[in-house]
Amino acid sequence: MSVRPALIAHDLVRVRGTRRVLDGVSLTAAPGRRIGLIGENGTGKTTLLRVLAGVDEPESGTVVRPPDLGFLHQELPFTPAATVAGILDDALREARADLAELDRIAVALTDSPEGTEEHDRLLAAYAEVLERAQDRDAWDADRRARTVLAGLGLGGIPHDRTLAALSGGQRGRLALAAMLIRRPGALLLDEPTNHLDDAAAAFCEDQLRALPGVVVLASHDRAFLDAVCTDIIDLDPAVDGPVRHGGGYTEYLAAKRAEAERWRRRYDDEQALLADLREAAALTAHQVAHGRPPRDNEKMGYGRTAGRVQKQISRRVRDAARRLETSERDQIPAPPQPLRFHASVLAAGDGNEAIVTADQLEVPGRLRVAHLEVLARDRLLVSGPNGVGKSTLLAVLAGHLTCTGVVWRRPDLRVGLLGQDSVFPDAQRTARQVFNTTVGTERAEVVPLSSLGLLAPTDLDRPVAELSVGQRRRLGLAVLVADPPELLLLDEPTNHLSPRLCDELEEALGSGPGAIVVASHDRRLRSRWQGREITLAAGPVSGDAA
């Protein structure tokens, strides 16, 4: 087997507008290492992946990348008219080309006399292509393609279907399938599990663990990070820059807490030292050492002694000032205050009565539910594999989608829906302006956007168009909880959010006023869910989902 090259980035700087998204980031990813990128939304995870992939050029810094690098964008790099078959052919192109080249060289070898220079050249070329084909497991590529499509829930899709005819989730899974089929020497993934159900996520984890090359991924999926990653790189601000932790997300959390405590202690100790130096420069250095008047037998030489004392004082003042100047120049920054989700309640309302009921609910080809009842203080989790209608059910409950059957909502019920895409009409307005306009000036004064802890102060007055996908999702959540509805519907609420915010959002979903219905494939969220749960399946839901 050939030696696979590493992916090496050194001192990367990437600027957007006046903001340094990446500021001196370095990374070395050796073959066999699977590195997870995490951090608050807007810290540069997607930007770093784009620079590593060569899609964006940094203002400074260098990247050395394997020649056969693959980058999974959040959108497929194909036109809507492209077919599934065409995308699979593209994914298999390199493996098939290697096999065809081996056949061509083998034929040429039979026509070339042994011991000649041409024969030796052909042997060397054959060995090189053979190593590449073995690395790509080229002989198994077509079978692998079938396995990957089935594992990601795409086995039943006709290969003549175009991208335009696929759902967003199907397109995302097809993009991931193409990368897993290719098996590039370095694989860069941006939120690979956003459209994966449990079975597909477990399959993807197995595939990534089996890859011999480099994997670098950005993900909010805490269970996925635990299952796949050998290392975690935290892009949140740190005293010495981005920090690399060995292990998965669980190990990272423990290390992160210890690191934050060390930074706080180091900062507090340094501030205490600076206070002492300032006092020394302002007061202590001016004090005479013995602090007493001269004796009679010293008065004759007092002038000379006073001169020495003044020189000593001057030296002390200069030394204290120099130490203070150096310490102030080199002092470590104050630990950043992490974003903390401060919404007191996510939903408002009380009582035990039903606020929504549905009977024999059906959206043809998308959803069938025999009976569903949502109570005024409900906490309801909707789960199930891709394509069974979780998002459709939330849209029906919100009144955004018509259906057959009987759906009753309490009159004047206030409903809020956080969809999977947070889209705002005028993306050139700032986040604060969008928030104030949407919730109304009066409500924005009562609950300012800055009070919710969902966006950093530096992001409040940035245009929405410049915010990351996760930051726009936070803004959408802020709009909803600023004036809590009586029924809050959250469709995959942890998608595109940082792992830390996912943890905090889970805590906020606990018991309280109002009703909350969550549709999610997030395995960590579901494993810790304390309320009711219904699981949708293909076809009618058996029994009562109340």
Side-chain angles (χ1 to χ4, degrees):
M1 289 288 186
S2 59
V3 177
R4 288 179 174 266
L7 175 64
I8 303 170
H10 178 67
D11 206 17
L12 297 178
V13 173
R14 184 76 172 109
V15 178
R16 290 197 172 176
T18 59
R19 190 170 71 97
R20 286 198 170 201
V21 183
L22 302 177
D23 191 2
V25 174
S26 297
L27 174 150
T28 298
R33 306 304 292 182
R34 299 179 296 278
I35 299 173
L37 305 176
I38 66 173
E40 291 296 340
N41 302 117
T43 53
K45 299 183 292 295
T46 295
T47 299
L48 177 56
L49 287 175
R50 291 176 63 86
V51 171
L52 293 177
V55 175
D56 291 344
E57 288 296 324
E59 272 66 27
S60 63
T62 59
V63 180
V64 178
R65 56 183 67 88
D68 58 337
L69 179 143
F71 178 33
L72 177 66
H73 300 257
Q74 292 188 11
E75 288 295 331
L76 268 172
F78 293 98
T79 66
T83 64
V84 173
I87 292 167
L88 294 179
D89 285 342
D90 184 74
L92 292 166
R93 174 174 46 81
E94 293 164 333
R96 288 171 174 169
D98 286 342
L99 295 180
E101 181 69 0
L102 286 175
D103 289 341
R104 187 194 67 79
I105 297 175
V107 171
L109 278 169
T110 62
D111 297 333
S112 174
E114 292 188 17
T116 64
E117 184 175 330
E118 175 66 10
H119 191 83
D120 291 344
R121 185 189 66 79
L122 289 170
L123 280 176
Y126 191 90
E128 180 182 344
V129 178
L130 178 63
E131 284 186 337
R132 195 167 62 228
Q134 289 172 332
D135 284 343
R136 289 177 176 150
D137 197 13
W139 291 270
D140 197 40
D142 285 289
R143 186 200 65 81
R144 183 169 65 249
R146 293 190 295 272
T147 301
V148 168
L149 289 175
L152 296 181
L154 300 170
I157 295 179
H159 286 194
D160 61 353
R161 186 166 294 177
T162 64
L163 284 184
L166 300 181
S167 69
Q170 289 171 326
R171 289 195 296 270
R173 283 178 280 148
L174 184 58
L176 177 59
M179 288 298 165
L180 295 177
I181 291 167
R182 271 190 61 198
R183 287 171 62 91
L187 181 55
L188 309 179
L189 305 172
D190 195 0
E191 298 290 1
T193 64
N194 270 358
H195 303 290
L196 303 185
D197 55 27
D198 287 2
F203 176 83
C204 181
E205 290 165 2
D206 290 340
Q207 291 286 308
L208 293 178
R209 286 194 296 262
L211 289 179
V214 172
V215 177
V216 181
L217 59 93
S219 179
H220 67 278
D221 188 329
R222 296 154 293 172
F224 186 76
L225 292 168
D226 259 338
V228 170
C229 293
T230 60
D231 305 85
I232 297 288
I233 293 181
D234 184 358
L235 294 178
D236 282 340
V239 62
D240 296 315
V243 179
R244 184 166 179 161
H245 303 272
Y249 181 69
T250 300
E251 291 85 357
Y252 154 78
L253 278 181
K256 181 72 173 178
R257 284 191 288 266
E259 173 200 320
E261 180 59 29
R262 286 194 300 271
W263 188 353
R264 170 56 64 183
R265 285 200 305 268
R266 182 176 166 187
Y267 176 78
D268 290 344
D269 291 346
E270 187 174 72
Q271 291 304 305
L273 174 62
L274 283 169
D276 290 343
L277 289 174
R278 292 186 183 105
E279 182 179 1
L283 176 64
T284 308
H286 292 273
Q287 295 176 345
V288 177
H290 46 71
R292 61 172 175 78
R295 299 188 183 94
D296 287 342
N297 61 356
E298 293 175 332
K299 288 180 180 179
M300 292 296 293
Y302 184 70
R304 293 192 299 275
T305 301
R308 289 197 301 273
V309 169
Q310 289 303 316
K311 289 180 181 178
Q312 191 175 41
I313 291 173
S314 296
R315 187 170 60 252
R316 284 185 186 177
V317 171
R318 287 195 303 273
D319 289 347
R322 189 161 44 247
R323 290 181 63 197
L324 177 60
E325 180 184 358
T326 300
S327 297
E328 286 183 331
R329 184 182 64 243
D330 299 335
Q331 66 178 306
I332 63 173
Q337 292 298 319
L339 289 175
R340 288 286 181 259
F341 188 28
H342 294 308
S344 56
V345 295
L346 298 182
D350 216 337
N352 296 311
E353 75 282 359
I355 55 175
V356 177
T357 61
D359 287 290
Q360 302 305 317
L361 185 158
E362 182 174 358
V363 178
R366 295 167 62 180
L367 173 70
R368 298 179 70 183
V369 174
H371 178 74
L372 176 65
E373 187 174 75
V374 180
L375 304 180
R377 295 176 62 92
D378 237 335
R379 293 296 183 272
L380 178 62
L381 175 65
V382 181
S383 59
N386 286 321
V388 296
K390 299 187 295 295
S391 298
T392 300
L393 176 59
L394 264 59
V396 169
L397 295 179
H400 296 174
L401 188 64
T402 59
C403 63
T404 61
V406 178
V407 178
W408 173 85
R409 298 177 193 82
R410 197 197 67 202
D412 301 322
L413 180 69
R414 292 186 298 112
V415 182
L417 171 64
L418 180 69
Q420 292 194 35
D421 298 311
S422 295
V423 179
F424 301 95
D426 187 357
Q428 297 309 313
R429 292 186 302 166
T430 68
R432 196 194 308 268
Q433 289 170 335
V434 168
F435 177 84
N436 292 351
T437 302
T438 307
V439 305
T441 304
E442 183 177 340
R443 190 62 189 171
E445 290 178 356
V446 176
V447 186
L449 177 58
S450 58
S451 70
L452 295 172
L454 286 167
L455 288 176
T458 53
D459 296 321
L460 298 177
D461 295 310
R462 288 176 58 203
V464 170
E466 295 181 9
L467 299 180
S468 70
V469 175
Q471 287 170 319
R472 292 197 295 271
R473 202 98 202 279
R474 289 181 177 219
L475 179 58
L477 180 60
V479 167
L480 287 176
V481 301
D483 189 9
E486 295 166 284
L487 172 60
L488 178 62
L489 306 169
L490 302 175
D491 192 0
E492 300 291 0
T494 58
N495 275 8
H496 300 294
L497 299 185
S498 67
R500 178 186 294 164
L501 183 61
C502 291
D503 289 336
E504 294 179 356
L505 182 58
E506 280 182 21
E507 294 178 10
L509 291 172
S511 60
I516 300 176
V517 179
V518 176
S520 180
H521 67 272
D522 187 319
R523 289 166 291 172
R524 186 178 174 100
L525 181 151
R526 285 165 32 222
S527 69
R528 299 160 62 179
W529 186 258
Q530 299 297 311
R532 293 195 300 131
E533 180 174 359
I534 63 170
T535 302
L536 300 183
V541 175
S542 59
D544 194 326

